[in-house]
Amino acid sequence: MLAEQLTSREIHLAARPSGEPAPADFTLARTVLPDLADGQILVRNTWMSVDPYMRGRMNDAESYIPPFQLGAPLEGSAVGEVVASRADSVPVGATVVHFLGWREYAIVDAASATIADTALAPAQAYLGALGTTGLTAYAALTEVAPVRDGDVVFVSAAAGAVGSVAGQLARKLGAARVIGSAGGPEKAGKLVSAFGYDAAIDYRAGSVAGQLAEAAPDGVDVYLDSVGGDHLVAALGALRAGGRIALVGAISAVNATEPVPGPHNLFQLAYKDATMRGMLINSYFHLFPEWVGKAAGWLADGSLRTESTVVEGLEQAPDAFLRMMRGGNIGKMLVRL
């Protein structure tokens, strides 16, 4: 049973954004927590994630995941400490990963929580390299658009949560050259100095297609797309025969209020005998044990480098989300509660 006075602050969706979200679309609320039912645990969240896919859930539109509800807390990956339990499988004191972020305390069905081994890596790593963002890079480059020995690989949003892992992973999978795109000279420099890239494109500095042609004069074999738009057009133009594209996201169009035209050169896939395949990470959860087993070792020996941009306090979560959507992060954007 929970104390009657136990309350939790949480972030609600106050309005559905039209175009780019604004602070007024969110509100900070307080709720009284009910008693735990059998099979449930109470988690005091310590870290939460903000991610680009959350923008789509703010629209009242049919998708692969239900939209956020107005006047209700948002959701997303979080990690925290179990402070009460009515589930034999999850004891008090355990650190767990779950999907009820955007709040200080979460009542979680134990079956939907995963115990995190904090002896293996810090708790927040399970929201980044050891979480779905790391898994996205792994699934994209091993199953969706598999990297082969000697490949030239191009990654967009390369300084973000997925991209900062993907460049290093491509190298481990045998790529001969890895090229990343990011916005601004600081991020572009970080790609080469910290994240294993051979060359960096600053998309704010000029034509993506022109810079890609300079960085990969003989073309690319694999493209991991998190941006769409001019990046996808450039990658299609640079793709070599038998090339592979993994469609992970399209952040360039996520705030669009009108339908976004498709790439004008899509037919290049046909005469290059190339493939372009979309992916939802939900379809690759079976790879989690394999990925964590590899990535934890690489984190421990220093051959996989990660960075996070950390914002302090639940009340700053909307600002963290808005900053992330504008590219104001290097590596994983996290909120420490």
Side-chain angles (χ1 to χ4, degrees):
M1 304 289 285
L2 301 181
E4 264 185 38
Q5 293 77 22
L6 187 54
T7 62
S8 175
R9 295 188 306 159
E10 50 193 34
I11 303 294
H12 289 193
L13 184 65
R16 298 202 183 278
S18 176
E20 184 176 357
D25 295 324
F26 306 88
T27 188
L28 180 65
R30 187 176 293 274
T31 187
V32 177
L33 295 173
D35 292 335
L36 294 181
D38 288 340
Q40 291 184 325
I41 56 177
L42 175 66
V43 182
R44 180 178 59 82
N45 287 333
T46 53
W47 295 88
M48 57 164 277
S49 173
V50 293
D51 300 285
Y53 79 88
M54 294 174 176
R55 175 61 186 88
R57 294 194 68 188
M58 294 176 188
N59 299 330
D60 188 11
E62 186 175 348
S63 184
Y64 67 95
I65 188 170
F68 294 131
Q69 297 301 303
L70 289 175
L74 290 86
E75 299 173 347
S77 295
V79 65
E81 179 187 357
V82 177
V83 295
S85 175
R86 292 190 62 181
D88 293 339
S89 58
V90 185
V92 170
T95 298
V96 295
V97 185
H98 60 90
F99 204 62
L100 293 181
W102 295 85
R103 65 202 82 189
E104 290 176 320
Y105 288 89
I107 293 178
V108 182
D109 291 335
S112 63
T114 302
I115 295 178
D117 183 356
T118 54
L120 197 62
Q124 63 269 31
Y126 290 89
L127 300 178
L130 299 187
T132 54
T133 49
L135 181 65
T136 296
Y138 185 65
L141 297 182
T142 59
E143 295 209 358
V144 181
V147 174
R148 301 166 186 158
D149 284 345
D151 278 348
V152 176
V153 177
F154 176 41
V155 178
S156 60
V162 173
S164 58
V165 172
Q168 299 171 80
L169 179 58
R171 176 75 68 212
K172 289 179 178 292
L173 293 171
R177 185 166 174 78
V178 187
I179 302 156
S181 172
E186 179 189 2
K187 283 188 173 183
K190 181 73 74 170
L191 298 185
V192 177
S193 66
F195 297 141
Y197 286 89
D198 297 293
I201 290 170
D202 177 359
Y203 65 79
R204 295 176 182 166
S207 161
V208 174
Q211 292 182 77
L212 182 57
E214 184 176 341
D218 297 322
V220 302
D221 300 287
V222 170
Y223 172 49
L224 193 161
D225 186 26
S226 296
V227 173
D230 59 349
H231 283 70
L232 181 55
V233 169
L236 285 163
L239 207 61
R240 297 203 282 215
R244 283 95 53 210
I245 296 176
L247 292 179
V248 174
I251 199 167
S252 66
V254 73
N255 289 324
T257 56
E258 300 291 337
V260 177
H264 67 271
N265 56 346
L266 192 60
F267 193 72
Q268 297 217 17
L269 291 170
Y271 68 76
K272 292 178 177 179
D273 197 24
T275 59
M276 182 166 67
R277 181 178 171 190
M279 66 169 289
L280 289 178
I281 193 57
N282 313 43
S283 300
Y284 299 92
F285 285 164
H286 64 281
L287 295 177
F288 245 136
E290 178 182 319
W291 167 242
V292 171
K294 293 179 178 181
W298 293 334
L299 288 172
D301 68 21
S303 65
L304 177 60
R305 295 184 59 181
T306 63
E307 291 194 23
S308 298
T309 301
V310 177
V311 173
E312 300 285 347
L314 175 70
E315 64 280 1
Q316 297 301 320
D319 180 64
F321 173 77
L322 298 176
R323 284 173 54 190
M324 179 271 305
M325 292 297 292
R326 298 178 189 131
N329 60 295
I330 292 178
K332 181 71 177 176
M333 178 66 92
L334 293 172
V335 179
R336 179 161 44 199
L337 279 66

